């Protein structure tokens, strides 16, 4: 079945540094979604990418979908303490199930 | 506008018992999916309900079953609980069948099996 891998598993940065997490799928995806989960919280939708090579920005966050629709990345510019949490990618193939990666936990030190 | 609500928030059960978790979707949503999230892991898809039918099922045993009611709310039932069933159970709702639309997650039910 489809597997979604995310790296790194953990990232510890100083406030103001950049952060990137990468997501790779074993199969071609219909779309990919990104979620953020704060400690003790629930996943919150950030964005959905559908088109090959798509790039979307949300303020300091930049999301990319690979040309082959098998990989994606999330880049945060100039991290802030409010960015702390676990970032998950979730791929959708031909069915209805979102296949989540294990997530990248981001810790930001002031 | 209420978001996705789940009950109870926490639950402690004994191995072998049965449990029922409940979910009310966000207003206007017709699709409910259930996920199991073990500590330090990503959510794992259990199944999805649409039009009161189980439309897709993940790799979970038959001990996990569910139901969707005409008002779109849903229940997740787990029989013969195992210690390994301890996890955060998340309900997610979406609109128009659940493809290519964002999923709104509830706060989850923390189930502990002892």
């Amino acid at each position: 079945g489809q597997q979604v891998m995310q790296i790194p598993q953990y990232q510890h940065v100083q406030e103001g540094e950049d952060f990137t997490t990468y997501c790779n799928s074993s199969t071609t995806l219909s779309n990919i979604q990104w979620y953020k989960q704060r400690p003790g919280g629930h996943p919150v939708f950030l964005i959905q990418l559908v088109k090959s090579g798509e790039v979307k920005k949300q303020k300091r966050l930049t999301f990319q979908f690979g040309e082959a629709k098998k990989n994606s990345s999330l880049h945060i510019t100039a991290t802030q303490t409010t960015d702390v949490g676990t970032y998950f990618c979730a791929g959708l193939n031909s069915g209805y199930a979102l296949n989540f990666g294990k997530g990248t936990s981001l810790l930001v030190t002031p | 506008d209420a978001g996705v609500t789940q009950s109870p928030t926490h639950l402690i059960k004994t191995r072998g018992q049965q449990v029922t978790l409940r979910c009310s979707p966000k207003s206007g949503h017709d699709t409910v999916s259930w996920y199991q999230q073990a500590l330090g892991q990503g959510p794992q898809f259990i199944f999805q309900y649409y039009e009161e039918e189980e439309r897709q099922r993940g790799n979970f045993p038959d001990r996990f079953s569910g139901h969707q009611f005409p008002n779109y709310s849903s229940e997740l039932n787990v029989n013969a609980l195992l210690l390994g069933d301890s996890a955060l159970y998340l309900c997610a709702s979406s609109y128009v069948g659940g493809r290519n639309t964002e999923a709104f997650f509830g706060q989850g039910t923390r189930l502990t099996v002892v």
Side-chain angles (χ1 to χ4, degrees):
Chain A
Q2 177 197 351
Q3 291 191 359
V4 175
M5 308 296 291
Q6 257 186 280
I7 56 169
Q9 187 176 1
Y10 301 99
Q11 187 81 55
H12 183 185
V13 301
Q14 294 288 323
E15 190 172 24
E17 292 182 336
D18 292 355
F19 160 77
T20 304
T21 174
Y22 301 90
C23 180
N24 288 286
S25 170
S26 58
T27 60
T28 302
L29 299 171
S30 170
N31 69 40
I32 194 159
Q33 300 179 8
W34 285 89
Y35 291 81
K36 176 183 179 182
Q37 186 172 23
R38 288 198 162 96
H42 61 280
V44 175
F45 176 84
L46 294 177
I47 208 159
Q48 174 177 271
L49 305 171
V50 179
K51 299 177 182 177
S52 169
E54 189 169 16
V55 178
K56 286 189 177 181
K57 293 188 176 183
Q58 289 180 349
K59 298 182 180 179
R60 297 178 293 104
L61 278 61
T62 301
F63 303 84
Q64 294 188 346
F65 200 10
E67 294 290 341
K69 301 185 73 174
K70 295 179 71 173
N71 61 287
S72 181
S73 65
L74 158 60
H75 179 82
I76 301 179
T77 303
T79 55
Q80 300 175 358
T81 55
T82 54
D83 295 326
V84 166
T86 301
Y87 292 84
F88 292 99
C89 63
L92 187 70
N93 50 22
S94 58
Y96 300 94
L98 281 173
N99 289 290
F100 282 79
K102 290 188 175 182
T104 296
S105 293
L106 173 64
L107 180 61
V108 181
T109 305
Chain B
D1 177 26
V4 179
T5 57
Q6 292 186 243
S7 63
T9 54
H10 295 83
L11 202 54
I12 300 176
K13 287 287 189 179
T14 303
R15 190 173 50 183
Q17 285 187 317
Q18 178 265 345
V19 68
T20 298
L21 309 181
R22 295 176 175 83
C23 171
S24 293
K26 181 178 170 64
S27 178
H29 285 184
D30 58 5
T31 302
V32 173
S33 302
W34 287 92
Y35 291 83
Q36 180 195 66
Q37 187 175 26
L39 203 60
Q41 302 294 316
Q44 296 295 307
F45 177 79
I46 302 175
F47 41 53
Q48 184 182 90
Y49 277 84
Y50 174 65
E51 293 188 339
E52 303 179 49
E53 296 285 335
E54 182 185 287
R55 183 160 66 174
Q56 185 173 351
R57 187 180 184 89
N59 189 24
F60 279 81
D62 292 344
R63 299 186 297 109
F64 289 78
S65 63
H67 189 77
Q68 186 179 35
F69 299 94
N71 67 352
Y72 307 117
S73 68
S74 178
E75 289 183 349
L76 164 65
N77 301 290
V78 187
N79 294 322
L81 284 167
L82 303 174
L83 297 179
D85 295 331
S86 296
L88 179 68
Y89 287 84
L90 294 161
C91 168
S93 75
S94 53
Y95 177 65
V96 191
R99 272 189 67 81
N100 292 326
T101 59
E102 65 179 279
F104 287 79
F105 283 84
Q107 296 283 358
T109 294
R110 174 72 62 186
L111 172 65
T112 303
V113 182
V114 297

